[in-house]
Every structure is written in C-alpha cells, then in structure tokens.
Amino acid sequence: MILASEVLIVGSGAGGAVTAATLARAGRDVVIAEEGPWIDPDAIQPFSLDELAAKYRHRGLAAALGQPGIVYAEGRCVGGSTEINSGLYHRLPPDLADEWRATYAIDEFSPAVLDGYADRIEAELGVSMLPVASPPSSAVLADGAAKLGWRAVEFARVFRYDANGRGTKQTMARTMIPRAVADGARVVPDFRIDRLVTRDGRAVGAKGHRTDPDGHREPVTVTADHVIVCGGAIQTPALLQRSGIRANIGLGLKFHPTIKVAARFPSAFDHDDVPMHRVTEFSPYLTIGGSASRRGQVALALADSGVDYHDALADWENVVVYYAAIRGEGSGRVIAIPGLSAPLVSYRVTDADLSRLARGLVHLGELLLAAGATELYPSIVGGPVVRAPAQLVEWWDALSRSRANLMTVHLTSTVRMGEDRKLTGADSFGRVWGHGNLRVSDASLIPDAPGVNPQAAIMALASRNAEHFLATT
Amino acid sequence: MLWLERRVVASLSENLDHAQRESVAAFVEGCLRSMPELLRFGVAAESVVLGAAPWLRERLGRSEGPSIAARMARWERNPVGPIRQYPRLLSSLVLFATEELVPAGSK
C-alpha cells in the first residue's frame, strides 16, 4: 500500500491528536499513523486486564534497566496514553517554564504564552472538577493532610460530568481524533512506522507495515511533504535513531520515580476510580497521590512488600494503593537496537533520589496513618508492615536499590527543545536539527520532568507547535 | 512459554480449577510474548539456565531434589538481582491474572 499526504503524523496521543486536529481544521491534508488498534473508548473497563492487553504497549511489562529497574507504562492505541491515564490535569508550573526557557533558550515559552494555549485546550476538551463530593479513597488524602497541616489539592480532570456527577474522560479517541477525521484527516491504525525516509536532509515519508486482525502484515509506504513524530518519549527517539538521526536524540530521559504503599483501612473503600486529590506540601519535588486499586492492582501492591499479605488480600475491599512520586536528578537513555522492535531503555537513580523516595515513603505513611489506615505495606521487598507512626523510621533503612520496587508513567525529555544546539535535539518548535521539515511534538520535547502529569503541557506544546507550523509552511 | 515458565505458572496456580489455570497460563504467555525483546531474551535465558537441572532430573525420571516451589523460594533470596526478579515477575503475572480473572472466593 502506498499513501500520499501533505503531513504525516506518527502517533495519535496527546501530541499527535492535538496536532492532527489543528492542522486538519486549517485544511491541511493529514495522515495519522498509529501503531496500536482503534478501540471504542467505552468498550473496555478502565484499569482492567482487558485494557492492559488491548491498549498498553507490551501489556504494561516494559522496564527501564538500572539499579533498581523501573517499570513504566505507555499507551499503544488510537488516543495513546490519554486512553489509559487517570485524566488528571495540571498546567505546567510557571516557575519551571521560566527556568527551562532560560536554560535551553526556548523561544515563545513564557508562562503567559503557554497559558493562552492551555485556555483553549481546556475549553475544547472540558477540563473540570468533580461536581459531587470526592470518593473516600480520594478524600483520605485531604483528610490526612489536614490533620498534619499539609497542603492538599483536588485536581481538575479532563472529564465532562453529567447532572448526576457521572464523568466521561475526554480522551483523544473521544475528542481530537474524531474532530480531525471530521475535518478530513485519515487515521491508519495498526500501522507501525519502521523508519522515516530522508533525502538531502529532508524527510520525504516513511516505511512501515500494517497488521490485519488475522496477523497478516502488509508493507506500507507513505510519502509526505512534512513529518511530525508524536510517539512519546520512548518511541519517538527510537524511530529517529532507526532512521539514522542521532544527534542529542534519546539522551536525558526523565520521569518521576514512584514508590507505592498498599494501605488497609477499617472499612471498605471505593475502587472504581483513581483518587483526584494530591498532597502538594512538598511539590514539585515530591507528590503524594493515589493509584488505580482494583483487586488485581491491590494484590500486586501487597505482593510488592514481599511479606505475607494473604490476610490483607482477603480483605482487599478495605485496601487502597497510594504513591509517592519524586522529581529526581537521575536520567536515562533510549537506544534503538538494530533488528529489534523495542529499544533499550535505561535509567540511573541517584543516591539523592533514593533518599528523596525514602522521605516520600515516610511522609506517605505518616499521612495514611493520620487518615485512619491500620496497616501499610510498602513496595519494598521485605519492607516491614507498619501499623504506627513510630515504625515508619524502619522504612528509611529498608529502602535500598536491591529491594525497592519502583514504577513510573510520566516519561519525557528525550528530544529536548530549544535554541541551544548543544543541549537539544530540536528547535523551540520541535524542528529536528538538520531536518527542516521533520518535527517532534510530544513529551520528548519537555526539557525535564515537570513534577506533575505532563498531559496538559504536551497538549499546550502541540497546539503551539501546530500553529507555528501553519504560520511557517 | 518455556519449560520452566510453564512449571512455575502451574505451581503458582495449582489451587485453581483447570479452566482457571488455562486462563491464567494464557495471560502469562501473552504477557511474556508482548515484552520488549531484550527483556524477553533475559527472562528466557534465565528460564533455560535455572530450568536445566530440574528438566534433566525430570527427563531422567528422578523424583528427588527440591520442588519448583522450593526452588522459587530459594531464587527469591538469591543475591543476584535478575535471579531474584525471575520468580517475582512470574508470581506477579500469575497473581494479577488470578485476582482479575477468578471471582473472589472461588480460589
């Protein structure tokens, strides 16, 4: 199959979908190549085993190698990670935007500029607060913080709510993708781009293959005047490297190393949603929040402690999973390996990061005990189960490189943007150095871990970069 | 799944009925197949190395020696990180599948 387009967009997540909707609305001829399937957002229960199989890359079993290794998750479906995340919405903290603008010499990156794009995105998608009282699993965070005199905030989400308070997550498959299609964009799901085709320093298209439901693979070639890669902080640098583009690509991977605690309470809690409160007392370097807590996730969090958890698991409806996530000083790399479809991902946790994680874990324990938890199981192999504040000090010693079970979801910074060519892989608007018509527009451009869910920053950046594209091509 | 992986999954799900065991094994197999190739190579290499002795013992019809469950308990205490992580990976997959696929109270 051969496809021709003016603009090829690789990836359909927060970056790709916003870019596609903006360009298609302006009348540009857009093809969106998405490696994963196109799934009705209502067809699969959130955070379920079916969702893991259908929408997660590697079924959620990817890990950054290091000591310790860190499990990470990426979406792999039309809508990308917006289909699988919690939908929590945080604008990029203005002090970080100012800091990065100065460090990397990023043009048009002031908080005021970004806020302008964020205003529009929020109005288009529907970013709102829960219109009813927050569920107990979330209120626990506010309650514990209040007892300790800490700040806690209920965050808005990319949700629209009906009169009964029933929410629908405004994923890209529900919003930007249908809008792009209505304006003429073509979405090709199950289509993996193997490499970009470049000629004389310009991208002229891509080669890949489409996989049918029966497993049959068909080679596909796309010709395009412009290529915009939006595959996320792991897949984007891997594709660029596979295409022979390597300068400052795949270096400096950043994310939020996260450690969990399974907290057992005297009574049953809700388990259908993710807590929307976050403890911001220690932000942006440490954030405390809650995770998906279906029976399977509760079991995994309990098992991460490596101690006997069967009594707590039998009582799983009283158990909720919470986390402490840090903005670390460590960083990692993404390296495409010839012949393999998945890149090698590595990450180095520093001693200071480990110390910060231990502090976060102890703060999380303090908060949960203050909120009424009776037993805390940390994600440390052999980490002691804590039942009273005086025992929390044991977690300091227990947290080590060989015993910590860490995970993350917010991956950024593998193709940093800015005008300082020594530090960046692309210019201020995502144009890959040395390739004027090849752009990146996703989490890869964000220069550092933002300390909050990066979806809002990705969408604001993608909107800004798409408008720059329209103004300059 | 390789020989040792099948044995470990069977050992971890032995309290389930046949259909449940099949569902759990299918889930674990799908996960292992979906892993990034480099990670899968590593897990497969461990399966071959760690499984060599019990496989040979079984082929020779010798019943003495530690059970798979006992071997797993030993691997979990091994000072080498990847060996420690091997039983933890398979245990986590079986646990997650069991809790999601099998109704509470029927295990």
Side-chain angles (χ1 to χ4, degrees):
Chain A
M1 184 196 297
I2 297 176
L3 295 169
S5 67
E6 180 189 356
V7 184
L8 168 64
I9 296 175
V10 183
S12 64
V18 169
T19 304
T22 307
L23 300 191
R25 189 189 303 144
R28 300 300 181 100
D29 173 33
V30 171
V31 164
I32 307 165
E34 167 54 51
E35 186 177 347
W38 197 343
I39 297 169
D40 175 355
D42 295 318
I44 297 178
Q45 204 172 5
F47 309 114
S48 65
L49 190 134
D50 289 340
E51 185 178 79
L52 203 66
K55 296 185 180 178
Y56 281 66
R57 186 176 293 279
H58 307 304
R59 297 194 183 203
L61 268 184
L65 300 182
Q67 183 72 332
I70 301 179
V71 174
Y72 65 84
E74 300 172 276
R76 184 182 162 275
C77 57
V78 171
S81 293
T82 71
E83 306 302 312
I84 60 170
N85 69 10
S86 61
L88 287 171
Y89 185 90
H90 315 247
R91 287 189 184 187
L92 186 66
D95 52 333
L96 285 182
D98 278 333
E99 181 190 322
W100 296 344
R101 183 167 50 118
T103 303
Y104 297 94
I106 309 173
D107 294 340
E108 294 186 40
F109 197 69
S110 67
V113 167
L114 295 175
D115 280 348
Y117 290 104
D119 285 341
R120 264 189 280 166
I121 292 280
E122 289 162 27
E124 274 192 67
L125 285 186
V127 173
S128 48
M129 306 292 287
L130 195 65
V132 295
S134 52
S137 63
S138 187
V140 148
L141 291 167
D143 183 35
K147 284 178 177 157
L148 295 168
W150 295 349
R151 275 177 294 135
V153 177
E154 180 185 334
F155 277 101
R157 296 200 293 178
V158 191
F159 270 60
R160 287 192 189 276
Y161 294 95
D162 65 17
N164 300 316
R166 196 168 42 239
T168 304
K169 188 166 67 165
Q170 301 300 292
T171 69
M172 295 301 104
R174 277 201 180 93
T175 56
M176 296 296 181
I177 293 291
R179 287 171 205 170
V181 170
D183 286 327
R186 290 168 283 166
V187 181
V188 188
D190 304 303
F191 176 23
R192 175 182 165 87
I193 301 290
D194 295 319
R195 66 181 178 87
L196 304 175
V197 180
T198 59
R199 193 174 302 141
D200 302 328
R202 289 183 64 79
V204 295
K207 287 184 182 295
H209 60 271
R210 182 147 193 237
T211 307
D212 293 340
D214 63 5
H216 174 254
R217 284 163 61 135
E218 176 190 15
V220 181
T221 298
V222 187
T223 60
D225 299 329
H226 303 274
V227 177
I228 306 178
V229 184
C230 308
I234 303 297
Q235 306 309 320
T236 288
L239 173 58
L240 294 177
Q241 290 174 4
R242 289 200 302 271
S243 309
I245 301 163
R246 295 193 177 86
N248 283 342
I249 304 295
L251 309 174
L253 170 68
K254 302 291 280 192
F255 50 62
H256 302 134
T258 299
I259 190 158
K260 291 186 174 180
V261 167
R264 188 176 183 182
F265 292 89
S267 57
F269 272 56
D270 54 289
H271 290 269
D272 295 332
D273 206 349
V274 173
M276 50 291 294
H277 279 89
R278 294 288 179 269
V279 176
T280 54
E281 178 70 17
F282 314 100
S283 293
Y285 294 100
L286 166 65
T287 304
I288 288 173
S291 296
S293 295
R294 288 167 54 99
R295 191 156 61 108
Q297 283 112 9
V298 165
L300 283 184
L302 289 168
D304 271 351
S305 66
V307 298
D308 183 8
Y309 57 85
H310 291 93
D311 181 57
L313 183 55
D315 198 24
W316 79 272
E317 288 178 318
N318 292 17
V319 181
V320 184
V321 184
Y322 296 94
Y323 68 80
I326 63 163
R327 263 193 90 208
E329 62 178 25
S331 67
R333 298 185 73 159
V334 178
I335 302 171
I337 308 287
L340 302 184
S341 65
L344 169 66
V345 179
S346 61
Y347 189 88
R348 187 179 67 88
V349 174
T350 67
D351 289 341
D353 290 341
L354 266 190
S355 176
R356 199 171 277 165
L357 279 164
R359 187 164 70 91
L361 194 63
V362 170
H363 284 327
L364 175 57
E366 287 177 281
L367 178 117
L368 293 169
L369 290 172
T374 54
E375 276 181 2
L376 304 178
Y377 293 76
S379 292
I380 304 172
V381 178
V385 177
V386 160
R387 296 179 178 84
Q391 297 173 297
L392 287 167
V393 69
E394 295 175 43
W395 285 355
W396 278 100
D397 295 328
L399 186 72
S400 65
R401 291 179 185 278
S402 61
R403 295 168 67 184
N405 284 314
L406 305 183
M407 56 80 63
T408 192
V409 285
H410 303 151
L411 306 131
T412 62
S413 315
T414 48
V415 188
R416 288 192 173 95
M417 63 182 164
E419 300 306 314
D420 185 337
R421 294 181 72 144
K422 287 188 193 130
L423 299 176
T424 60
D427 76 2
S428 297
F429 299 94
R431 283 179 294 204
V432 176
W433 292 119
H435 297 78
N437 68 334
L438 171 60
R439 289 167 166 78
V440 169
S441 206
D442 62 22
S444 313
L445 295 178
I446 297 175
D448 202 342
V452 294
N453 181 322
Q455 182 179 332
I458 296 166
M459 290 191 294
L461 264 181
S463 180
R464 163 186 168 274
N465 293 352
E467 295 212 348
H468 181 268
F469 176 92
L470 290 172
T472 55
T473 63
Chain B
M1 280 194 287
L2 300 173
W3 181 86
L4 182 63
E5 293 158 358
R6 281 197 303 274
R7 291 304 161 105
V8 168
V9 171
S11 167
L12 290 167
S13 56
E14 64 187 6
N15 55 341
L16 304 178
D17 68 31
H18 178 72
Q20 292 167 346
R21 278 203 308 273
E22 294 281 300
S23 301
V24 168
F27 172 78
V28 175
E29 180 157 29
C31 286
L32 292 174
R33 205 183 315 118
S34 302
M35 285 177 92
E37 297 102 324
L38 279 172
L39 297 184
R40 180 64 184 119
F41 290 160
V43 173
E46 288 192 271
S47 296
V48 170
V49 172
L50 298 174
W55 178 82
L56 196 61
R57 213 174 277 279
E58 188 175 293
R59 281 293 162 119
L60 296 173
R62 292 165 60 176
S63 58
E64 75 275 22
S67 64
I68 291 291
R71 287 178 190 274
M72 283 182 62
R74 210 167 61 198
W75 296 332
E76 280 176 9
R77 296 189 300 273
N78 196 291
V80 179
I83 295 179
R84 247 185 355 259
Q85 283 152 15
Y86 180 84
R88 271 166 47 194
L89 168 70
L90 292 173
S91 302
S92 294
L93 293 176
V94 169
L95 178 65
F96 186 64
T98 303
E99 296 304 320
E100 288 289 318
L101 290 169
V102 180
S106 72
K107 288 174 280 180

